[in-house]
Amino acid sequence: MTKTISRRDFLKISAASVGALAVGQMLPPMVAKAAKESGVLNAAGDGVISTMCEMCVWRCGVLAKIKDGRVVKLDGNPEHPHSNGNLCPRGQSGLMNTYDPDRVLTPLIRVGKRGEGKFREASWEEALDLVASKMTEIKNKYGAEAMVFSSTHNLSQPLFENLLYAFGSPNYGTQRSLCFNAMIVANTMTYGMEEPARIYDDKLKYILLTGRNLLEAISTSETSDLSHAIDRGAKVVYLDPRYTKTASKATEWLPIKPGNDLAFHLALLHIIIGEKLYNRSFVEKNTVGFDELKKEVSRYTPEWAAALTGITAETIARIAHEFADAAPHALAHNGWRTSNFVNSFHTQRAISILNALIGNWDIVLTESGGEESGALGAPPQPAYPRVSALRLDGVPWKYPVVPFKIGVFQELRDNIVSGDPYQAHGWFISRQNPVMSIPDRSKTLEAFGKLDFIVTVDIVLNDTAWFSDVVLPEASYLERYDPLLPFGDKVFLRQPVIEPQGQAKSALWIYKQLGERLGLSDYFQYEDEEDYIRQQLKPLGVTLEEVKAKGYAEAPETPHAGESAEKRWNTPSGKIELFSDTLAKVGFSGVPTWDEPPQPAEGQFYLLTGKVAQSTQFGTQNNQLLNKYSDEPRMWINAQVAAKLDLATDDWVEVTSEVGQIHIPVLVTQAIRSDCVFMTPGYGHLSKGLTTAYGVGASDSVLHVTYTDPISGGQALSQTFVTVKKVEDESSAETLKPLYSGE
Amino acid sequence: MGINIKIKSFNALEGLPRFVYVLAVIAALGMSAGLYRLYAGLADTTNLSTVFPWGLWISFDLTNVAFSGAAFTLSMLVYIFHMHDLHAAVRPTVLFGLLGYSSVLVILFFDLGRWDRFWHFLVYPNLSSALFEVSWCIAIYSAILTFEFSPVILDKFKNEKISKIVQKMTIGMVIAGITLSSMHQSSLGSLFVIQIHRLHPLWYSLAQPEFFLVSSMAAGISTIIIGSYVSIWMFKQTLSEKIIEKLGSFVPWIFGLYLLMKIGDLILGNKLGLLFTSGMLSVLYIAELLLTLAAIIWFSVKKLRATRKNALNGALIIAAGIVLNRFDVTWFAMKSIDGATYFPSFIEIALLVGVTSGLIVVFSLAAHFFPVFSETLPVKDLPQSELVALKLVSIFCGRLMI
Amino acid sequence: MAKYGFLIDASRCIDCRACLVACSVENNVPMKSTRIWIKDSGVTGEFPNLERHTAPFHCMHCIDPSCVSACTVGALQKNEDGIITYDNEACIGCRYCMYACPFEVPHFEWDQQFALITKCDLCVSRLGDGEAEPACAATCPTDAIQFGKREDMLAMAHNRIKDESSRYVDHVFGEHENGGTSTFYISPVPFEQLGFPSTETMESPAHFNRIATEEGTPIIAVGAAIGMTGIYLAIEHNQKKNGTDKIEHVETKHDSAGKE
Ligand SMILES: Nc1nc2c(c(=O)[nH]1)N[C@H]1C(S)=C(S)[C@@H](COP(=O)(O)OP(=O)(O)OC[C@H]3O[C@@H](n4cnc5c(=O)[nH]c(N)nc54)[C@H](O)[C@@H]3O)O[C@H]1N2
Ligand SMILES: Nc1nc2c(c(=O)[nH]1)N[C@H]1C(S)=C(S)[C@@H](COP(=O)(O)OP(=O)(O)OC[C@H]3O[C@@H](n4cnc5c(=O)[nH]c(N)nc54)[C@H](O)[C@@H]3O)O[C@H]1N2
Ligand code: SF4
Ligand code: SF4
Ligand code: SF4
Ligand code: SF4
Ligand code: SF4
Ligand SMILES: [Mo]
C-alpha cells in the first residue's frame, strides 16, 4: 500500500527545494542578445520585448519585461487582438514554465527500461543522428507509413508537417479529434469553414452557450468579450450538467442531462421552423435543404425533448422564442470541446443551423481570418512525395467526412495496438502529451509497447517523454522564434526575450536539422530562424528588425469570399447547407437527426471532465505559480448523492470504469447533477520528472473509455460511466495494465 | 593552577539546592528548543498561524509583566509612601522583577520573525505604536531595575563610595521607574485598543490601558506574597507576617478601584447584556469579576490576610484572576477566523518552561552569591506538608517538559 | 497630490486568479505567500437555483490605516498618494500589524527562517517604473478590478449602483469601513456573504490608538512622575516635621514559618 502524497505535503516538500524561492531567483541571468542588438533592451539588458504567449493555443500578445537579462514580468499587449492588454492566469505564469527547475535542457537518450525514467544526457549531434537513423531504419524496413507523427496546434506546426509529409508518412495525429472535431466538421459541412468568427458587439443581446465554459476554459479576448457582453446586459443561457463559473454569471443555467444537448437543439429548431420564427429571406437566399430540415425536425417537440434533457417544455419553448426575438443579435455558440458524445456531430450541426436560420451572418458570425495568410512568403520547396499507404486513423476509409489535416487521433492509437491494417513501428511526438490526452491511458501505453522507437520534443519530461527513447528539448516560447502568425490585418511575431537556457533549441532549428539528416534539406531552405522569418516577411516589405521592435507588422488582409455581392460559401452547393449531400452520400443523415446516446446504468455516473482557469490541459500542472493558486484536485459529487453514499468532502473514493480505477478525494457540492461526477484533467501525472506535479491528484484519462463519434471522429469524453465507492485508505489505485518495457 | 580554580569555583556552588541543577538542565533543553525554532522558522515549530499570530509566548509575556509589576508597586510603597517597614521585601522583589522582564525580552526575541533585528525599535521610532512604547519602557526600566538591584551587589563588594552615590540617586531612579512602569503597564493595555475587530467587546475597552495598569499593582502584591512563600521552600527565607499583612491590606483598595472601573466600563459601554449572552466567554468574564471580588473580600478580612498561609490563598485568587484576564485578552477572547483554533506546540511550551526554569536558576544563583535575602527571616524547618507540595510542583514542571 | 483608488466589481469577477498570479510575479512574492486572495461566497442555494460570487481581495489602503499607527518600527507608512507601503528592511516580524488590520490583510511568511510580512503595496515600484496600473488591475480579463483616482473610482461605484440597482446591493464597501479606504467594492450580494469582515466603524481604531498612545501614555507618565514626586516630598516634609524621618528597620522579631 503506497501512500500518496497529498498536495499539501507535496508543496511542503517542493518548498524545501525550490518552492520557497521566488520566481526571480531561480537561475543565473540570461541575456537577450538579439533584443539588445535591436535596441529594445538597454545596455544593462533591461527593457520590454513584444512576443506571444503559448500557454495555450489562443496566443495572446505579450509584453515581456526584462531586467538584468531575465524575464521578470509578462503583461498583455494592448495592441494584440487576443489579449487587449490582459493575460489569463496561465499567461501570467508563463515565465515559470521557462524557469521551471524541471526543464529539460539537453537532449536525453533513454538508458533504463521504458517508463523507468532513466536517461543520459547527449549532444544534439548524437541525439539527432540517432533519431534520423532510427527513422530511416523504420522507413527502410516497413515503409514511411510505419512512422507515426503527432503534434498539437502550434506555430511551428507547418514545419513539423513539412517533415512528415516529406518523410512520406500519412499518419498524423493532432489534438483536434480529442478536442473539437465535432464542431469543425459540422461547420465545414454547414458553412464550408472550420469555425466562423464571433462578433461580440454592443448589439449582441442573446447568447446560447452549449457546454462552452468560456469563463473557465479561457480564451482571453473571447472570455473578456463574453464578460463585457454580460455587463452590457446580454442574456446568456448556459447548458452544462455542472454549475461552472460561467453558469454563475449566466442569466440562466440549465443543468442538462449529458448527451442530450442534441434533443434540446432539435426542439429549438422544431419551434423556430414550426412557428416560422426564422429569417425567411436569409434562409431562402443563403441556404439549401430547408425542406428536408423542416421535415426532419417536425417530430422533435419540446415535450419530447423535455423528457430527455430534464429541461421543461415551457423553458425550451421560451428559449426558442427569446432566441428568435433577439435575432439577428443572437448567438448560438458552437462550443469547443463539445465532442462529449457519439451524437455530438449532430448537436454541432443543429447549433450551426440555428445561427443560419436567424440570419446572424456578418452580424454575429463571420468569416474567420484563419492563420494562413496568402500575404506571407515562404521558403521554396519541392512537392511532397506521393503517399499510397492507408491512414491508420481510418480517414477516410472509416471516417469519410473527416478532413485529412484533422484526423482521428484515438483511432490511430487503437490501430497501433491492433496492428491493423498494418503495424506501426515509430512515433514522433511534438508538444503534445498523448499519454494523458487520449482516453484510456493504459491503452496508450500499450501502444507505446508496440513501437520500436519513440521520440518526443518537449520542454519538460512530460508523461509522454517519460516513456520515450529520445527527448529533444525545445526552447520555451520565451526563448525562441516561431513562424509568423497572421491575424486580421497584421502578422505577429514570437521572438526570444531571453536566450535559450542550456542546449534548448527552437523547433525551426530542430526540424531543419532532422530534415538534413533524413536527406530532406530541400524542404528546409532557410539558414536559421531569422532567415525563415525574413523570407516570410519579404512580400510585406518590412524588415525583421521593424517587426521585432513592434512585435507585429501590418499585412494586407487576405480578401475572403464574403466581400463579393453574391455570397458564396465554400460548400459543394455554394450555400449554407442545412441538408448536406456530402453526408447523405456516405450514408449519414443529411440533416441533424436524433441519435440516442448511451446512458449510465443504475448506480453509475457520467464522468465529466473540463478545464479550470489555472491550468492548460496536461502541460502546466508543474508550473509552480499555477500550482500555487490551483484548487486541490478533487472529484465533484452531488450533495444529495454524497449523503446517500455517506461521503463528506475530502473522503476518499474508488472510482471504477470499464478500463481503469483510481482513488481520489471528493468535493461534495450542489454544483453538479446527481447523475454526474466531475474531474479536472491534468492531474495524476506518471512522470516523476515533473517534481511539482507528480503525486498530485488522479488522472481521468485512466478512466476514460474510448468512444468515437462515427461522423466527425471526435472522442466522446462524457460517455464514460463510472461507479463510486467510499474507501478508507488514501492509497493510489491507478490500475494500469502491465507495461511493455521496450527493447 | 587551572585545576585549582576549577575546584574553587565548584566549591563556590556548594550549598546550592539540588533542584537548581535540575532546573538548569530543563532551562538548557528549553533554550535548545528556542534555538531550533530560530533555525527552523515559526511554521514548523509553533502552532501560530494567520488567525493566531500571537500565542502562548505573548500571553505569558503579558502575564509575566503584570506580575513583575511587584517591583514598581513595592518601590512605590517603600520609597514614595515611606513604608520602610516593607523594605525587607525590596531586594528579592527587585531581583524577581529584573529577571521577569529579562525573560519577557528573551521570549519576545524568539517570537520575532526577524529576531536578528530585535534592536530596530531603537532606531526606527513610531510614536503611535503601543508596542514601540512598551519596547522602550521595558528596555529603560530593565536598566533602572538593574540600578535598583545594584546595592545588593555593592553590598557584597563593600564599596562604600559607590554605594553612597547609588543611595543618593535612589529616589530619582525610583520615580523614573514608577513612571516607566505606569507607561508600559498601561501601554500593554493600549496594544488592544486597535484590535476592536478582534477582541471580544466584553474585553475591548478604551480604558484597557488603565485596567492593565491598576491590575498590575494587585498582581505585584500577589507576587510578593506568593514569593515569600515559595522562598521558604527554596531558600529557607521569608518575609514577616506583618509585612504580608500590610501588603495585603492594599488589595481591597486596588482591586476595588479595578472592579469599579470594569463595571463602569460594562455599563458605559452598554455591554451588560453581553455579560450573559456570550456563552463560554461570559463564563470567563464573570469568572474574572468573581475572582476580583473574592480577592477584595478576602483581603478585607484581617484574619484572612494576617497569617502567611491565609494570605497565600488570597494571593493565589488574585493571581488566578490576573492570569485569566491576560490570557482572555490575548488568546481566549480573540475572535477566531473561520473557526480556527490555537493550542501551543511542544516547542512553544518547552521554550516557555525552559525560560521560566532559567529565571529560577538565575534567581537562585544570585541569591547564592549576593545578599538578596539580607533582611528577610530565615526559616529553620520545612513543614512536611510543604515538602510534598514542592515535590508536586517539580513533578508538574517535569511533565510540562515532556 | 492625487490619491489612487480601486473599484472592484464582484459581479464581474470570474475567479480566474490571473490577478493573483500577476501579483506574485510582479512583486516576486515567495511561493508560499500571497498579497492577494479571492473572497468566495461558495455555492449557495438549492440545486438548480444556485449562486456563487467572488472578488479579489488585497490591502484596502485605508485613509487612516490601523496598521500604520500600530507598526512597532514604522515599517508601514502612508504615502501622499494614499499607498500604504511596507519597508521590509525595517520590519522586525512582530506581527502586531496582523492584529491591527481589521481586514486581515498583512500576512506573515511563517515558513521562512527570517520571516517578514507580505502585504500589497499597490505595486508602488511598478507605478514608479511608469506603468499605469498595478499588475492585478492591468491583467484582469473582465475589468473586475479597475484602477484610477480615488474620487473617480468612488463616483464610478455609485454610478454603477445607481444605473443598475437590480444588479448590486446598495453599499459601496470601503467608503466608510475602517474610516474609509482607497479600495471600493460593489457586489450583487451583501458583503458578509462574500466573506468580508463587517467593519462598519466610521472611524478607524487608529484614531483611538493615537489617543491611547500619543495622549494617554504621556498623561499617565506625567501624572505618575509629578504625583510620585509630590507624594514623596509631602510625606518627607511631614515626617521631618514630626521627627520620624529616621529609617527604621522593623525586622527584629524572628518568627518561623514552621510554627504556623
Ligand atoms: N484555462 C484553460 N482554458 C482553456 C484550456 C485549458 O486547458 N485551460 N484549453 C483550451 C482548449 S484546447 C479548449 S478545446 C477549450 C475548451 O473549452 P470548453 O469546451 O469550454 O471547455 P471544457 O472544460 O473542456 O468543457 C466544457 C464543459 O462541458 C461540460 N459538459 C460535459 N459533458 C457535457 C454534455 O454532455 N453537455 C453539455 N452541455 N455540457 C457538457 C463540462 O461540465 C464542462 O464544464 O478551452 C481552451 N481554453
Ligand atoms: N480527460 C481529458 N482529456 C482531454 C481533454 C479533457 O478536458 N479531459 N481535453 C482535450 C482537449 S480539448 C485537447 S486540446 C487535448 C490536448 O492534448 P495535448 O495537446 O496532448 O495536451 P497538452 O497538455 O496541451 O500538451 C502540451 C505539451 O506541450 C508541452 N509544451 C509546452 N510548451 C512547449 C513548447 O514550447 N515546446 C514544446 N515542444 N512543448 C511544449 C507541454 O509540456 C505538454 O507536454 O486533450 C484532450 N483530452
Ligand atoms: S488565453 Fe491565456 S494561456 Fe492562452 S494565450 Fe492567452 S494568455 Fe496565454
Ligand atoms: S483577474 Fe479579474 S476576474 Fe480574474 S480573479 Fe482577478 S479580479 Fe477576478
Ligand atoms: S487594509 Fe489593513 S493593511 Fe491595508 S491599510 Fe488598511 S489597515 Fe493597513
Ligand atoms: S510585523 Fe513588521 S510591519 Fe508588522 S507591525 Fe511588526 S514590524 Fe511592523
Ligand atoms: S496592487 Fe500590486 S501588490 Fe497590490 S495586490 Fe495588486 S498586484 Fe499585488
Ligand atoms: Mo482543445
Side-chain angles (χ1 to χ4, degrees):
Chain A
M1 187 175 57
T2 45
K3 212 153 158 53
T4 45
I5 309 173
S6 81
R7 176 190 194 72
R8 273 205 193 90
D9 293 344
F10 194 79
L11 285 177
K12 245 185 216 164
I13 293 165
S14 63
S17 47
V18 285
L21 295 177
V23 181
Q25 315 169 344
M26 291 292 175
L27 291 167
M30 294 292 156
V31 183
K33 201 176 84 218
K36 246 188 200 171
E37 282 163 8
S38 70
V40 182
L41 296 187
N42 65 19
D46 299 350
V48 172
I49 304 177
S50 166
T51 187
M52 265 186 294
C53 183
E54 194 174 51
M55 295 296 289
C56 84
V57 294
W58 200 245
R59 292 194 275 268
C60 296
V62 162
L63 298 175
K65 209 182 275 177
I66 312 297
K67 271 218 167 86
D68 303 328
R70 295 179 55 80
V71 207
V72 294
K73 182 73 181 43
L74 303 175
D75 283 301
N77 183 353
E79 312 238 25
H80 193 287
H82 268 182
S83 44
N84 298 316
N86 309 131
L87 293 178
C88 83
R90 301 162 297 153
Q92 279 295 345
S93 77
L95 77 181
M96 204 59 214
N97 258 30
T98 285
Y99 292 131
D100 190 334
D102 290 338
R103 276 284 298 279
V104 178
L105 295 175
T106 35
L108 299 176
I109 295 177
R110 176 169 64 81
V111 290
K113 288 183 183 169
R114 265 206 201 135
E116 239 181 18
K118 286 195 184 135
F119 296 92
R120 68 175 168 83
E121 295 188 348
S123 69
W124 274 105
E125 279 305 302
E126 185 190 3
L128 290 167
D129 285 350
L130 177 65
V131 174
S133 74
K134 287 281 183 186
M135 286 171 71
T136 310
E137 193 185 318
I138 289 170
K139 186 175 185 172
N140 292 341
K141 255 195 186 152
Y142 312 104
E145 66 273 19
M147 194 66 213
V148 169
F149 292 78
S150 73
S151 160
T152 283
H153 203 165
N154 67 88
L155 286 178
S156 60
Q157 212 164 8
L159 281 301
F160 185 76
E161 288 168 1
N162 226 17
L163 187 71
L164 77 103
Y165 294 141
F167 185 77
S169 174
N171 289 315
Y172 182 29
T174 72
Q175 92 290 0
R176 288 185 162 94
S177 67
L178 311 175
C179 175
F180 49 30
N181 258 29
M183 183 266 285
I184 48 185
V185 179
N187 274 322
T188 306
M189 293 292 118
T190 316
Y191 290 98
M193 69 184 74
E194 289 191 358
E195 188 182 10
R198 290 169 286 271
I199 305 167
Y200 292 81
D201 61 10
D202 289 357
K203 295 200 196 105
L204 184 60
K205 279 196 289 223
Y206 203 86
I207 303 165
L208 185 55
L209 293 172
T210 304
R212 179 66 177 103
N213 187 8
L214 243 178
L215 301 187
E216 284 185 272
I218 293 180
S219 305
T220 298
S221 53
E222 197 177 356
T223 300
S224 302
D225 285 344
L226 177 68
S227 165
H228 296 328
I230 294 172
D231 242 18
R232 289 190 297 261
K235 178 157 186 186
V236 175
V237 175
Y238 177 69
L239 276 71
D240 196 313
R242 216 160 50 93
Y243 187 73
T244 61
K245 283 160 194 163
T246 308
S248 75
K249 297 290 176 204
T251 328
E252 196 169 352
W253 168 54
L254 302 173
I256 191 166
K257 184 166 182 192
N260 291 282
D261 305 75
L262 175 57
F264 177 85
H265 286 99
L266 288 173
L268 292 187
L269 292 175
H270 169 93
I271 296 164
I272 286 173
I273 292 176
E275 300 185 21
K276 302 201 169 56
L277 304 174
Y278 56 94
N279 182 331
R280 191 173 302 178
S281 65
F282 183 87
V283 169
E284 273 168 13
K285 212 165 132 205
N286 294 290
T287 70
V288 294
F290 182 76
D291 294 337
E292 288 92 334
L293 177 70
K294 184 175 174 180
K295 184 161 163 266
E296 175 65 22
V297 300
S298 64
R299 59 190 177 115
Y300 303 127
T301 63
E303 291 72 25
W304 164 83
L308 292 162
T309 56
I311 303 168
T312 65
E314 298 74 59
T315 306
I316 297 174
R318 174 173 53 79
I319 288 170
H321 281 273
E322 287 173 357
F323 185 73
D325 285 350
H329 302 290
L331 163 68
H333 196 297
N334 276 110
W336 260 21
R337 204 197 48 72
T338 316
S339 310
N340 290 314
F341 277 84
V342 289
N343 63 11
S344 287
F345 172 77
H346 285 307
T347 313
Q348 287 293 342
R349 276 271 287 161
I351 296 173
S352 300
I353 287 171
L354 212 50
N355 286 310
L357 289 185
I358 61 160
N360 65 9
W361 190 260
D362 274 345
I363 296 163
V364 172
L365 290 186
T366 189
E367 206 87 33
S368 58
E371 288 180 4
E372 278 124 53
S373 170
L376 283 181
Q381 66 176 58
Y384 295 123
R386 267 182 60 92
V387 178
S388 53
L390 278 184
R391 281 171 61 126
L392 281 173
D393 67 359
V395 177
W397 49 276
K398 188 170 171 191
Y399 300 100
V401 299
V402 176
F404 280 96
K405 275 193 85 163
I406 288 168
V408 184
F409 197 11
Q410 66 277 22
E411 184 87 16
L412 175 61
R413 188 271 321 266
D414 286 356
N415 290 338
I416 295 175
V417 175
S418 70
D420 194 35
Y422 50 84
Q423 185 61 57
H425 290 273
W427 194 343
F428 191 127
I429 301 146
S430 175
R431 74 150 298 123
Q432 193 177 53
N433 196 356
V435 166
M436 299 286 280
S437 57
I438 306 181
D440 196 351
R441 181 158 89 183
S442 46
K443 194 164 189 188
T444 309
L445 292 172
E446 196 184 339
F448 274 20
K450 302 274 179 181
L451 301 172
D452 310 332
F453 184 65
I454 305 167
V455 52
T456 297
V457 183
D458 212 290
I459 59 169
V460 288
L461 266 185
N462 75 359
D463 311 86
T464 302
W466 185 254
F467 287 92
S468 299
D469 303 313
V470 177
V471 183
L472 303 177
E474 192 179 0
S476 80
Y477 75 92
L478 295 172
E479 300 168 338
R480 68 167 191 253
Y481 281 109
D482 269 331
L484 292 165
L485 171 71
F487 195 94
D489 56 0
K490 296 193 175 77
V491 291
F492 289 91
L493 174 69
R494 171 171 297 134
Q495 58 177 326
V497 304
I498 54 169
E499 277 177 15
Q501 302 171 77
Q503 305 296 313
K505 298 282 186 193
S506 72
L508 277 167
W509 184 88
I510 297 171
Y511 301 150
K512 178 179 160 68
Q513 291 292 320
L514 269 176
E516 280 169 4
R517 282 169 173 76
L518 292 165
L520 307 170
S521 28
D522 283 357
Y523 295 91
F524 299 92
Q525 295 188 37
Y526 50 91
E527 292 292 314
D528 53 21
E529 297 89 339
E530 295 196 353
D531 179 43
Y532 182 90
I533 296 166
R534 284 206 175 90
Q535 295 192 49
Q536 282 194 299
L537 282 174
K538 203 172 234 164
L540 301 183
V542 234
T543 66
L544 176 61
E545 285 62 38
E546 289 171 62
V547 186
K548 282 171 67 65
K550 274 208 305 195
Y552 65 88
E554 315 282 341
E557 206 169 343
T558 15
H560 54 68
E563 268 143 34
S564 55
E566 201 37 37
K567 170 92 187 153
R568 257 199 77 82
W569 310 86
N570 192 19
T571 54
S573 61
K575 304 239 175 197
I576 299 172
E577 302 200 336
L578 309 182
F579 172 87
S580 161
D581 212 27
T582 317
L583 285 170
K585 272 198 193 125
V586 291
F588 299 125
S589 168
V591 288
T593 185
W594 176 239
D595 182 4
E596 182 94 34
Q599 292 203 32
E602 181 71 27
Q604 287 184 327
F605 300 88
Y606 291 96
L607 172 66
L608 306 182
T609 181
K611 323 292 189 214
V612 289
Q614 300 81 22
S615 62
T616 300
Q617 337 280 28
F618 313 93
T620 63
Q621 292 74 24
N622 209 57
N623 180 306
Q624 295 185 9
L625 274 166
L626 289 174
N627 183 67
K628 172 175 180 175
Y629 289 117
S630 290
D631 292 328
E632 258 178 81
R634 291 181 287 208
M635 187 185 81
W636 296 23
I637 189 160
N638 175 278
Q640 277 77 38
V641 176
K644 274 191 218 136
L645 296 175
D646 186 27
L647 287 172
T649 291
D650 282 333
D651 282 351
W652 285 72
V653 289
E654 181 175 273
V655 189
T656 313
S657 78
E658 225 175 89
V659 298
Q661 193 173 73
I662 56 154
H663 283 195
I664 189 172
V666 294
L667 173 78
V668 172
T669 173
Q670 288 283 341
I672 189 165
R673 281 174 62 97
S674 58
D675 52 2
C676 302
V677 292
F678 166 79
M679 278 175 72
T680 308
Y683 288 101
H685 284 278
L686 284 174
S687 168
K688 294 184 185 146
L690 305 170
T691 54
T692 300
Y694 180 76
V696 180
S699 163
D700 57 348
S701 317
V702 170
L703 298 169
H704 277 127
V705 185
T706 316
Y707 294 112
T708 300
D709 165 4
I711 308 176
S712 75
Q715 66 170 339
L717 266 189
S718 295
Q719 207 170 293
T720 293
F721 308 133
V722 295
T723 55
V724 174
K725 198 179 88 189
K726 186 173 179 170
V727 285
E728 294 307 328
D729 64 294
E730 301 183 1
S731 63
S732 160
E734 302 202 356
T735 45
L736 297 167
K737 288 173 197 156
L739 295 183
Y740 170 83
S741 49
E743 249 38 306
Chain B
M1 284 278 270
I3 293 169
N4 258 346
I5 291 168
K6 231 180 181 173
I7 290 170
K8 216 178 159 190
S9 59
F10 181 73
N11 284 342
L13 288 176
E14 215 172 314
L16 204 60
R18 197 138 348 121
F19 70 81
V20 173
Y21 295 96
V22 178
L23 289 177
V25 172
I26 296 177
L29 289 175
M31 275 322 224
S32 25
L35 291 176
Y36 175 64
R37 166 267 168 276
L38 296 187
Y39 165 76
L42 288 158
D44 291 343
T45 53
T46 68
N47 287 340
L48 299 175
S49 66
T50 305
V51 183
F52 290 99
W54 290 348
L56 176 67
W57 292 340
I58 297 288
S59 300
F60 172 81
D61 281 346
L62 260 74
T63 315
N64 196 349
V65 169
F67 287 117
S68 301
F72 95 94
T73 312
L74 188 67
S75 330
M76 183 162 79
L77 293 175
V78 173
Y79 296 108
I80 305 297
F81 288 90
H82 291 63
M83 297 180 184
H84 297 291
D85 47 346
L86 299 180
H87 193 273
V90 166
R91 286 185 170 190
T93 306
V94 165
L95 179 59
F96 178 81
L98 181 56
L99 295 179
Y101 279 105
S102 309
S103 62
V104 166
L105 291 175
V106 168
I107 288 189
L108 262 180
F109 172 80
F110 286 104
D111 201 328
L112 291 182
R114 290 302 304 254
W115 40 274
D116 56 319
R117 296 177 176 170
F118 70 92
W119 49 274
H120 267 201
F121 73 93
L122 295 169
V123 291
Y124 293 98
N126 179 15
L127 294 181
S128 68
S129 170
L131 205 47
F132 171 77
E133 283 179 6
V134 169
S135 310
W136 264 96
C137 291
I138 290 189
I140 303 177
Y141 184 55
S142 299
I144 289 183
L145 281 173
T146 312
F147 174 87
E148 288 185 23
F149 187 67
S150 64
V152 184
I153 299 168
L154 294 172
D155 246 19
K156 170 146 180 150
F157 297 109
K158 309 233 174 339
N159 190 328
E160 293 286 332
K161 224 162 126 197
I162 302 181
S163 291
K164 275 252 166 68
I165 300 173
V166 169
Q167 220 160 27
K168 281 221 172 106
M169 287 172 68
T170 299
I171 193 66
M173 282 306 212
V174 164
I175 292 178
I178 296 169
T179 306
L180 284 164
S181 289
S182 314
M183 286 167 78
H184 73 248
Q185 294 286 2
S186 64
S187 286
L188 279 176
S190 305
L191 277 184
F192 300 90
V193 166
I194 199 130
Q195 303 187 28
I196 187 161
H197 53 284
R198 284 298 301 266
L199 190 56
H200 189 275
L202 273 177
W203 282 269
Y204 182 82
S205 166
L206 296 182
Q208 196 64 263
E210 289 73 26
F211 293 161
F212 266 44
L213 175 59
V214 173
S215 59
S216 75
M217 296 184 197
I221 291 175
S222 80
T223 308
I224 302 172
I225 297 176
I226 297 171
S228 80
Y229 213 80
V230 173
S231 64
I232 296 176
W233 299 330
M234 296 194 354
F235 310 107
K236 303 193 176 165
Q237 291 285 340
T238 190
L239 294 172
S240 75
E241 289 192 330
K242 222 171 163 183
I243 291 183
I244 288 172
E245 190 274 332
K246 184 158 188 178
L247 281 170
S249 69
F250 295 110
V251 171
W253 299 104
I254 298 170
F255 256 6
L257 175 65
Y258 180 60
L259 193 62
L260 274 179
M261 286 164 71
K262 285 287 239 189
I263 291 171
D265 176 61
L266 286 181
I267 295 168
L268 293 177
N270 259 332
K271 301 190 284 196
L272 274 175
L274 288 174
L275 196 50
F276 306 101
T277 54
S278 308
M280 198 52 213
L281 291 179
S282 290
V283 176
L284 290 174
Y285 199 87
I286 292 171
E288 273 188 38
L289 292 183
L290 288 180
L291 284 167
T292 310
L293 187 64
I296 293 172
I297 297 171
W298 192 283
F299 284 99
S300 304
V301 181
K302 181 140 193 197
K303 229 168 73 194
L304 288 180
R305 64 171 190 258
T307 72
R308 194 188 318 275
K309 203 164 197 173
N310 283 341
L312 171 73
N313 290 330
L316 288 173
I317 296 175
I318 301 178
I322 298 289
V323 171
L324 184 60
N325 174 259
R326 297 304 193 263
F327 273 68
D328 278 343
V329 171
T330 51
W331 178 353
F332 308 142
M334 275 290 164
K335 221 175 284 170
S336 162
I337 302 162
D338 299 334
T341 55
Y342 161 78
F343 193 81
S345 70
F346 168 72
I347 301 253
E348 284 174 83
I349 296 172
L351 177 67
L352 193 63
V353 172
V355 170
T356 316
S357 307
L359 187 153
I360 301 173
V361 171
V362 177
F363 192 103
S364 307
L365 287 175
H368 184 76
F369 287 109
F370 301 104
V372 173
F373 292 109
S374 59
E375 301 165 40
T376 53
L377 299 172
V379 183
K380 301 258 154 48
D381 342 285
L382 277 187
Q384 203 55 34
S385 61
E386 282 154 9
L387 264 180
V388 174
L390 175 62
K391 273 193 184 133
L392 284 177
V393 169
S394 42
I395 290 171
F396 177 70
C397 288
R399 259 292 141 74
L400 269 186
M401 280 303 295
I402 294 157
Chain C
M1 186 167 195
K3 305 267 193 278
Y4 290 125
F6 285 105
L7 171 55
I8 297 177
D9 186 339
S11 79
R12 292 183 177 179
C13 174
I14 58 171
D15 186 25
C16 72
R17 306 174 205 174
C19 49
L20 278 61
V21 179
C23 177
S24 269
V25 179
E26 177 70 44
N27 300 297
N28 219 351
V29 179
M31 278 300 171
K32 282 204 167 180
S33 306
T34 186
R35 295 178 172 191
I36 169 169
W37 306 263
I38 297 289
K39 292 269 180 198
D40 187 346
S41 70
V43 178
T44 55
E46 278 299 309
F47 187 95
N49 298 313
L50 304 176
E51 265 190 75
R52 179 185 198 166
H53 303 278
T54 55
F57 186 71
H58 51 56
C59 174
M60 301 286 288
H61 297 277
C62 304
I63 302 297
D64 187 2
S66 330
C67 59
V68 170
S69 83
C71 176
T72 317
V73 293
L76 295 158
Q77 291 291 341
K78 186 177 162 182
N79 277 5
E80 255 178 83
D81 47 19
I83 302 181
I84 314 304
T85 57
Y86 166 67
D87 179 359
N88 63 4
E89 293 296 322
C91 174
I92 54 174
C94 67
R95 312 187 289 285
Y96 185 27
C97 50
M98 297 175 75
Y99 281 103
C101 170
F103 301 108
E104 295 149 27
V105 165
H107 273 57
F108 192 62
E109 297 167 354
W110 293 106
D111 62 315
Q112 301 288 305
Q113 198 171 27
F114 293 96
L116 290 166
I117 287 290
T118 15
K119 189 195 83 72
C120 157
D121 63 3
L122 220 144
C123 287
V124 66
S125 60
R126 182 179 161 98
L127 298 180
D129 277 356
E131 296 280 353
E133 292 181 300
C136 55
T139 206
C140 177
T142 65
D143 291 344
I145 312 179
Q146 279 173 301
F147 180 76
K149 281 200 206 130
R150 183 178 184 274
E151 71 256 40
D152 293 351
M153 294 298 117
L154 186 57
M156 200 191 284
H158 282 291
N159 283 340
R160 275 198 218 162
I161 292 178
K162 206 172 74 209
D163 294 348
E164 285 183 82
S165 54
S166 62
R167 184 165 169 178
Y168 302 103
V169 293
D170 189 12
H171 180 177
V172 178
F173 188 89
E175 186 174 11
H176 300 303
E177 277 73 9
N178 203 34
T181 72
S182 308
T183 310
F184 305 113
Y185 285 85
I186 51 176
S187 157
V189 287
F191 288 93
E192 299 78 70
Q193 269 185 50
L194 274 170
F196 280 83
S198 45
T199 48
E200 293 283 356
T201 45
M202 303 299 247
E203 228 167 339
S204 161
H207 172 70
F208 303 123
N209 183 59
R210 278 191 299 269
I211 293 179
T213 56
E214 292 176 354
E215 295 171 28
T217 313
I219 289 173
I220 288 179
V222 172
I226 294 179
M228 289 302 126
T229 316
I231 293 170
Y232 172 78
L233 292 177
I235 297 180
E236 191 85 332
H237 178 75
N238 237 354
Q239 287 187 342
K240 263 198 188 127
K241 239 169 60 184
N242 302 340
T244 49
D245 60 327
K246 271 213 169 146
I247 292 176
E248 197 188 333
H249 283 241
V250 273
E251 299 285 337
T252 44
K253 200 183 109 212
H254 282 206
D255 68 343
S256 156
K259 273 188 223 149
E260 283 169 17

